[in-house]
Amino acid sequence: MERGGEIDLGDLVRTLVASGYARTDRVEARGELAIRGGIVDIYPADAESPVRIELWGDEIDSMRTFAVSTQRATGEIDEVTVYPAREMILDHGVEDAANRLRMLEPWASSTWDRFAEGMAFPGMESWSPWFAEERTALDEATEATVVVFDPVRCEARAAELSAEEDDLAAALAPTWGTGAPAAGDHPALYLALAPDDAAIMAPPQAAGPGDVGFEMRGLDATPGDPESVAHAITRWRTRNVSIIVAMDGEAAANRVARVLAEHGVALDPTEAADGDRPIVLPAGIHRGFRVAGVRDRRRR
């Protein structure tokens, strides 16, 4: 949504509720929604701050972030992207699949009934493998080169999650009833990390000529000291190093860009890195980000 755009309030509320947002009188936590006349308060599931949208008819007149504690506005924004507040959306596809599962897997008919009726319930995400293909985030990245940092730890953690699921299935299998799959025969909730050639494995240190290594170390600056950080960035720029400052959320990215600009470092807030100028991304390292123009040398 963006300032100046038009939305239908009823459609917006229905979409947000279907996406897992809970209506409340006062927004205080992620995944909550409040309506007061032509004012819509939303706390996006991945946002640093909630957003207040003021409507003039169907037009978005203003958009502001606000503080949970005081409910007062903290800054104006031009647009906001609101992602679902839960992993599983109860759409018509899920309802149709649940109706088919009623016949194919009658041992869980009471659960399929809830899905078919569009009822959200605690723990429903654990049933998502029955409704989805066995695909991972790496499978979805068909138009990008994925870099997996510290692949050994990633693979070990993936194996741990799979083992935990197997243990839980073994404990619950006796309660599933007649006709239920044996433990281990059900669709897996966690899939093994088995990337194909589209992914680059990047261990902390290259073990051989075929490995891609990424050196990771601190910025050599005092945390919380903008002047120190600005000096460090300036030093790295003189070495022809591409600089990306990754922050959690648009508000944090804009704030860092503004503070560093006051200390002589110009950073462009953007959605993707192009490697040509220092930038600040509204996406934390732990969430990942897209670097435009960088190609896998193995594909050349």
Side-chain angles (χ1 to χ4, degrees), residues 24-183:
T24 63
D25 294 329
R26 174 187 170 107
V27 166
E28 296 181 332
R30 290 182 177 87
E32 291 185 345
L33 160 73
I35 309 293
R36 298 185 304 281
I39 298 176
V40 182
D41 287 352
I42 308 171
Y43 204 147
D46 66 335
E48 184 179 84
S49 303
V51 175
R52 178 163 295 147
I53 301 172
E54 296 187 19
L55 301 176
W56 181 261
D58 289 339
E59 182 180 347
I60 298 177
D61 186 54
S62 68
M63 303 177 72
R64 297 181 176 88
T65 56
F66 65 92
V68 169
S69 57
T70 64
Q71 297 288 299
R72 293 181 178 274
T74 56
E76 294 188 1
I77 58 175
D78 293 323
E79 61 181 7
V80 63
T81 300
V82 182
Y83 293 101
R86 60 174 175 240
E87 296 181 26
M88 193 171 186
I89 305 302
L90 300 178
D91 56 17
H92 292 302
V94 170
E95 294 173 7
D96 292 342
N99 284 321
R100 291 193 297 271
L101 286 167
R102 279 170 166 167
M103 296 180 289
L104 298 174
E105 304 287 346
W107 59 274
S109 58
S110 61
T111 298
W112 310 139
D113 287 345
R114 287 192 282 183
F115 280 115
E117 294 169 8
M119 295 174 56
F121 57 92
M124 69 179 190
E125 287 83 3
S126 64
W127 294 87
S128 60
W130 292 91
F131 298 89
E133 299 179 20
E134 288 194 354
R135 295 177 63 82
T136 68
L138 297 181
D139 296 322
E140 298 296 331
T142 56
E143 298 181 0
T145 297
V146 177
V147 179
V148 179
F149 293 97
D150 205 345
V152 174
R153 289 183 61 188
C154 290
E155 291 172 358
R157 181 54 181 155
E160 288 177 4
L161 290 172
S162 295
E164 290 174 6
E165 182 183 6
D166 291 341
D167 292 342
L168 181 60
L172 294 178
T175 69
W176 288 343
T178 304

Side-chain angles (χ1 to χ4, degrees), residues 271-291:
E271 293 290 339
D274 62 15
D276 293 333
R277 66 188 190 282
I279 64 166
V280 56
L281 291 174
I285 291 291
H286 62 286
R287 297 184 183 180
F289 53 83
R290 180 171 59 87
V291 181

Side-chain angles (χ1 to χ4, degrees), residues 179-255:
D185 291 341
H186 60 287
L189 180 61
Y190 297 107
L191 301 180
L193 180 63
D196 56 22
D197 292 337
I200 300 176
M201 297 292 101
Q205 293 182 338
D211 289 341
V212 177
F214 286 79
E215 180 183 0
M216 299 182 187
R217 59 179 176 176
L219 187 60
D220 192 22
T222 303
D225 182 352
E227 185 175 359
S228 174
V229 173
H231 284 318
I233 291 177
T234 301
R235 287 196 301 271
W236 280 107
R237 290 189 66 182
T238 63
R239 304 175 188 177
N240 294 323
V241 174
S242 297
I243 298 172
I244 301 172
V245 178
M247 302 300 298
D248 269 331
E250 184 177 353
N254 290 334
R255 183 171 63 253

